[in-house]
Amino acid sequence: AELDKLVVEHYPEFDNKPAIMRAYHTIDRNNNGFISKSEFADFFYYLDYFCKLWEKFEGIDDNNDRRIDIKEFKQYADSVFGRKMSDGTAETMFRLIDRNGGGKIL
């Protein structure tokens, strides 16, 4: 909650709850729920990274369900990976990312 408040009040350009949570979980290296000074030093690096990643994710998620299905993945694979990708390669990549086999990237 304190990180949310800090970001909202002082860095509104990074006010993105999913990115804040990803950054928080990434820097909490010992998984104790508290952020030390050394862990906090990396917070804004990861917040920036996850905000940019979220922007790309939202650009691919055509139906705004916060999930990417195989159709959306294939449609945008070329732009995401920066090179032409066959449907077969895109399907293989999708399966590698979709670790639980649920048919969606969350």
Side-chain angles (χ1 to χ4, degrees):
E2 291 84 4
L3 283 174
D4 284 344
K5 184 177 179 183
L6 171 74
V7 171
V8 169
E9 291 179 359
H10 298 284
Y11 306 97
E13 67 273 20
F14 292 106
D15 185 10
N16 177 325
K17 182 72 170 179
I20 293 168
M21 292 307 297
R22 295 284 185 263
Y24 166 76
H25 288 292
T26 301
I27 64 170
D28 185 18
R29 292 180 192 94
N30 59 5
N31 295 315
N32 68 357
F34 298 99
I35 305 302
S36 67
K37 285 182 183 180
S38 63
E39 290 170 331
F40 183 74
D42 293 331
F43 176 69
F44 285 100
Y45 169 81
Y46 286 108
L47 181 59
D48 181 55
Y49 172 78
F50 286 116
C51 279
K52 289 175 181 171
L53 193 60
W54 185 256
E55 285 177 26
K56 284 188 177 231
F57 188 93
E58 283 186 320
I60 296 168
D61 181 22
D62 284 339
N63 62 3
N64 297 314
D65 65 350
R66 290 191 166 191
R67 300 170 188 187
I68 297 173
D69 60 29
I70 187 66
K71 180 182 170 215
E72 292 166 329
F73 188 83
K74 284 182 180 179
Q75 182 177 352
Y76 293 99
D78 293 353
S79 63
V80 169
F81 295 104
R83 63 183 182 92
K84 184 73 176 143
M85 191 175 291
S86 71
D87 279 355
T89 300
E91 289 170 6
T92 299
M93 293 285 291
F94 184 86
R95 283 193 303 273
L96 289 171
I97 297 168
D98 178 25
R99 291 184 187 198
N100 70 356
K104 304 277 186 176
I105 298 172
L106 310 176

